[in-house]
Amino acid sequence: MSIFIHQPAQSIPDNFRAFAIVMGIIFVCALVGILGRPLFFLAIFWPANAILLGLFLRFPSLRNIGGWLGAFAGFMIADLITGNYFVLTLFLTISNLLHAICSLALLRFFKLDFRQYNKGLTFLFLFLISAFGGCLAAAGFASLTVPHLPNTFMTPERVWTDFGMWWTGEILNVIAFLPILLAIPDQQTFKNYWQDQKLNPIQIKAFMPLLAIIGSVILTHFFIGPGAIMFPIAALIWAALTYNLFFIAIINCIVCMMLYNSLTAYYIAQSPDAYLITTISVRIGLMMLALGPLTLAIISLNRQKLYHQILYLANHDGLTTTMNRRFFYEESERTVTVIPQKKPAQTVTILLLDLDHFKRINDRYGHSAGDLVLQEFSRQVREQIRGDDLFGRLGGEEFAILLKDLTLAQSVDIAQRICNKVFATPICLENGECLHISVSIGLSYQTLPYCVPFQQLIKRADEALYQAKEKGRNQLCLEDALQQSPTDRLHAQF
């Protein structure tokens, strides 16, 4: 029952909200399909069933009693206000609801996690379940009941034709509309996208695949015929390798619906018999056309994610998830060196951190305890620095931080906070014993754009770290040049 109703104990306002949202969306979708239906034929455009399934999958909070009642009301009202009869409308509405009901039931039966639609063969399985489950059930129920009702537009003599048209129409709408709802980015993804666009504005070449699709679709209106289905395929493949899945799903839907509308209008203009003979073939062809770019986009997405995962593992320490030595040095070099077309840093601070007496921890408590100390230490440090500061593990218990665009006093304040935090926060082991650790820090500071080699900054910070160790550990020492300055004499001990 949970697959049909998500959190059945939801409050009345939640059910009313779901009712209003689902009813409004389904009413509009059904009304569009009804108004575009040719006389004496099934609708050529019926997105309501696929969108209903997508809403219930993508937004589980809508899948409650109110949501189901809203869907029922949306279907009924849209059909009744356009002049249909109540009994016929009731059976048509049941047929439409069966699509979502059977699809959800089969998803539960096969234990398919639709949220992983972009991994492996999940998308293909999801499509097959909907096509041979919900779509088939809806078409089968309608074909067995609607032709025998009064005032019907389906006749027993044409039952197999109507069954094929209903079924293939449902499948085409699923492949066109369901991916859009499943691929809608969440709020954080949208936020990250706009931030990326601010840093890296869209270039003109990014519009080339879209322009190619528009051109190929326009071409179909001048050379209309069965071969028009294939006109946009090259442009769609190009787009699938360029854009994200959500954008591809939208493009795919628009292209399929425009081609479908053009071909349907063409064959209806020829004769009703030509329309009936060709429409099932056209729908299957469009379904195959839509599957290609979606599958390619998912494969491309998976490869990109795998690439970024491998890149992350290559650049970060596996234990602490901080930057590894090589990546920290590379990014620090880019920060210190003025990069054209990018705002250079005004000041650079290097902090070298070394955990005091770490070998004793490994010798006394074991390496697992040492690993835990390194992880907790890394977490404590991250709490004291900014998100764009560079933080890396140079090796063993030695870490480094690069701070940019801070005054010397601000940099010293951050280093002191790290010392205080580490010394004041005990780390509890699995056996219940708590360890008190400390850290020694060496600091070097440089005003830019005067370019100094990064290795020199590291060397100066390392010499300051050595002094901190010599003076008793658990303290911050600044490089000699800063300690000798009367105005910048900042030396903190704990």
Side-chain angles (χ1 to χ4, degrees), residues 188-372:
Q188 185 60 42
T189 303
F190 265 121
K191 184 178 179 181
N192 293 338
Y193 174 79
W194 287 118
Q195 289 178 346
D196 291 341
Q197 294 307 312
K198 291 179 181 179
L199 296 175
N200 303 299
I202 298 178
Q203 298 180 355
I204 296 179
K205 65 179 182 181
F207 293 98
M208 296 301 293
L210 182 60
L211 294 175
I213 291 173
I214 294 173
S216 63
V217 172
I218 293 174
L219 202 62
T220 61
H221 291 276
F222 294 97
F223 302 96
I224 191 66
I229 291 178
M230 301 304 295
F231 288 179
I233 190 168
L236 286 172
I237 292 175
W238 187 10
L241 296 172
T242 306
Y243 303 133
N244 59 51
L245 182 59
F246 178 59
F247 197 26
I248 288 299
I250 295 176
I251 293 174
N252 226 25
C253 178
I254 295 174
V255 170
C256 286
M257 291 301 106
M258 291 186 68
L259 286 176
Y260 184 38
N261 181 70
S262 298
L263 291 170
T264 298
Y266 170 76
Y267 285 114
I268 288 179
Q270 299 295 317
S271 71
D273 291 335
Y275 169 71
L276 290 175
I277 292 171
T278 59
T279 188
I280 293 177
S281 175
V282 167
R283 289 173 177 179
I284 294 175
L286 289 172
M287 178 189 70
M288 296 301 179
L289 174 69
L291 274 175
L294 288 173
T295 304
L296 185 58
I298 290 173
I299 293 173
S300 178
L301 174 65
N302 291 337
R303 287 185 174 179
Q304 289 178 14
K305 286 186 175 180
L306 181 61
Y307 168 76
H308 288 299
Q309 289 174 357
I310 294 174
L311 187 64
Y312 181 86
L313 293 174
N315 292 333
H316 291 79
D317 176 57
L319 179 64
T320 62
T321 68
T322 60
M323 295 178 174
N324 59 26
R325 183 187 185 95
R326 176 191 56 79
F327 189 50
F328 177 81
Y329 274 46
E330 289 177 355
E331 292 299 303
S332 298
E333 288 280 6
R334 294 190 184 98
T335 302
V336 173
T337 305
V338 177
I339 302 177
Q341 299 179 348
K342 288 190 177 182
K343 181 182 178 181
Q346 302 300 311
T347 63
V348 171
T349 305
I350 296 294
L351 304 178
L352 280 187
L353 305 88
D354 191 275
L355 286 172
D356 298 326
H357 306 298
F358 183 72
K359 187 175 183 302
R360 296 180 185 177
I361 297 175
N362 278 333
D363 293 341
R364 181 175 177 180
Y365 299 100
H367 288 280
S368 60
D371 291 344
L372 177 62

Side-chain angles (χ1 to χ4, degrees), residues 448-461:
L448 301 178
Y450 170 71
C451 186
V452 61
F454 171 69
Q455 290 289 349
Q456 182 177 335
L457 290 173
I458 286 286
K459 181 180 179 182
R460 284 153 46 182

